[in-house]
Amino acid sequence: MSRAWTERLSGLLAVVVLLAAWEIGCRVMAPPAYLLPSPSAVGAALIEASPRLVPSAGQTFLQAVQALLLATVVGVSAAVSASMHTTARGALRPIATLLQVTPVVAIAPLLILWVGLDRADLSVVLLAATIALFPLFSATLTGLTSADPDLERLFDLHGARPLDRLLRLRLPSSLPFMVEGLRIGAGQAIVGAVVAEFVAGTGATQGLAWRILEAGNRLRTAELLAGLAWLAMMGLMLNLVLGALESAVRRRFGLTR
Amino acid sequence: MVEKGRPIALLEGATVRFPERAVGPLDLALLPGTITALVGASGAGKSTALNLLAGLRRPDEGRAVPGARGRVSMVFQSPTLLPWADAVSNVSLPLELAGTPRTEARARAGDQLAEVGLGDRLSALPRELSGGMAMRCALARALVTRPELLLLDEPFAALDSVTRTRLIDLTCRVWARAERGLAVVLVTHDVHDAARMAHRVVILDPRGAVAADVGGAGPIGDGLPADPDQTRDAVARVAAALAATMEPAA
């Protein structure tokens, strides 16, 4: 059996062992269901609450994807500008550092206030995009400035125009970095969407976070955990899709990094 | 063809300062149709000399007249091909950067690849080429612009001895076939490569100044290598001159 398969099976086995221990613990110690429901109860809630959870999961997923697209457009454009102009780099660096060191989730109340509670959906997308922005900007900029130095010399030698250098060398070289940034940004976008919904907390957006909040308020802990399971699956799915994209990019562009 | 004439590129007392040290002064005049080897210890400034000759940097002191813009080409230690582009796209790159229409650039690239023996690998990606083939592709990319100055920055260092010998022979043939007198500068650590391929071997001392300038057994006319005796003598000359630069002064 290959090493990769052994690793995958070990991971799966660990999850199965954890769930089994949890189930046995719940049956033996019988904690109150509002405190710790068993995995089988969570499974049942997944099915029973699916008419509510599935549309909410769809909404949160859609908002995270919209946020990721927005962050990609803004982050990549900013990184391209920063890689081409010293002035732009000087102007963007403090903003990027600020984005990196500030817990951006803390601006959620402000964002909701500015955008308006009646447009909470937009606030969710904007906050998620703001959080996903830094990893995308940072990874793309690293990629744009990491092209092979000898290839850079070759482009210098042949008097390449900045646009040629960007399109023929730096952008293709930065693609694997960009996809890596997308993977990190995707996780962040889901966090952003959830936090914004928590802060909005009015039911104006009926995404997964709101379902989780509502289930918590009503002590329907199994449904709360079922909502969490949906969030985890969503993150996993985005990660898988972007992982496949990363492999495809590396293959197509013959890059090892 | 060995020709004489005005230097294609010139260094006169050129010194380049780095934060921790300086390289130079370098004095070098490259004549058309000659192959010059630059030999010296690591850090002696061989690559700095190439950058000065290519016009990629200016000296902090002294004078450098680089090769004419657009007429200088370079081959690096590794093939340095765009990994996502096929052989013909890699070779046509310098032409396209200079504004040659794409169709014409690709046609010329195809011809150039055929000249280095890769006529059947036009659409191969770099990862599908062996080390020697990738280096021939890099050589084709350097020659496609029909340069008057070809700078070789240790391109044979990472190759096995058979591939290395074939590539040196190929480079000599290409040099001989060049329409105008092509000047070649080969940076190398290998005394044998330098003596065999170059007409003139310039040895740099550890500070990067020219320590010796001795004759090599470089090709004449048809690009065929010199006879073994001549080569052996040249290797001995170069090795002795190099050893002298490394020994402490008596």
Side-chain angles (χ1 to χ4, degrees), chain B residues 179-190:
Chain B
E179 288 163 20
R180 297 173 306 275
L182 171 67
V184 178
V185 178
L186 167 71
V187 160
T188 180
H189 278 105
D190 191 297

Side-chain angles (χ1 to χ4, degrees), chain B residues 52 88 103 132 134 143 163 191 248:
Chain B
L52 289 170
V88 80
T103 321
L143 294 166
T163 313
V191 170

Side-chain angles (χ1 to χ4, degrees), chain B residues 14-221:
Chain B
T15 303
V16 175
R17 296 200 182 283
F18 295 100
E20 284 150 18
R21 65 195 189 96
V23 167
L26 282 160
D27 290 282
L28 198 61
L30 300 176
L31 295 174
T34 56
I35 303 179
T36 306
L38 283 182
V39 183
S42 294
K46 302 185 293 291
S47 296
T48 305
L50 286 196
N51 284 341
L52 289 170
L53 294 168
L56 292 177
R57 75 169 300 159
R58 289 182 176 174
D60 296 302
E61 283 166 32
R63 181 168 166 248
V65 182
R69 193 156 187 84
R71 310 303 293 274
V72 183
S73 283
M74 204 179 234
V75 181
F76 304 95
Q77 187 166 6
S78 66
T80 321
L81 301 170
L82 297 173
W84 51 85
D86 60 17
V88 80
S89 306
N90 264 295
V91 175
S92 67
L93 178 73
L95 294 173
E96 290 183 38
L97 290 178
T100 308
R102 192 176 149 83
T103 321
E104 187 194 331
R106 290 179 74 82
R108 276 173 62 183
D111 293 345
Q112 194 64 58
L113 278 163
E115 198 173 333
V116 299
L118 289 176
D120 56 343
R121 306 306 301 266
L122 300 190
S123 51
L125 289 169
R127 65 172 178 273
E128 296 162 349
L129 299 173
S130 67
M133 284 176 175
M135 201 46 96
R136 275 190 274 159
C137 186
L139 187 62
R141 180 180 61 190
L143 294 166
V144 76
T145 54
R146 293 174 195 146
E148 55 183 25
L149 176 57
L150 175 63
L151 304 172
L152 307 175
D153 194 355
E154 302 191 57
F156 313 123
L159 302 172
D160 64 79
S161 62
V162 175
T163 313
R164 183 191 190 99
T165 307
R166 283 185 186 155
L167 258 166
I168 289 176
D169 290 347
L170 173 67
T171 311
C172 291
R173 283 201 304 276
V174 163
W175 165 82
R177 281 204 295 261
E179 288 163 20
R180 297 173 306 275
L182 171 67
V184 178
V185 178
L186 167 71
V187 160
T188 180
H189 278 105
D190 191 297
V191 170
H192 190 268
D193 287 353
R196 179 162 177 257
M197 190 174 156
H199 302 115
R200 182 184 163 204
V201 181
V202 174
I203 293 161
L204 302 180
D205 70 15
R207 292 171 298 117
V210 175
D213 194 336
V214 296
I220 305 167

Side-chain angles (χ1 to χ4, degrees), chain A residues 46 50 54 59 76-77 86 93 121 165 176 193 236:
Chain A
L46 260 176
S50 59
V54 172
Q59 184 181 328
V76 171
S77 312
T86 324
R93 192 165 281 160
D121 285 350
R165 190 186 295 265
L236 208 61

Side-chain angles (χ1 to χ4, degrees), chain A residues 146-162:
Chain A
S146 302
D148 184 327
D150 278 341
L151 276 170
E152 292 276 7
R153 266 168 100 196
L154 184 85
F155 275 68
D156 286 338
L157 188 65
H158 293 289
R161 288 168 303 171

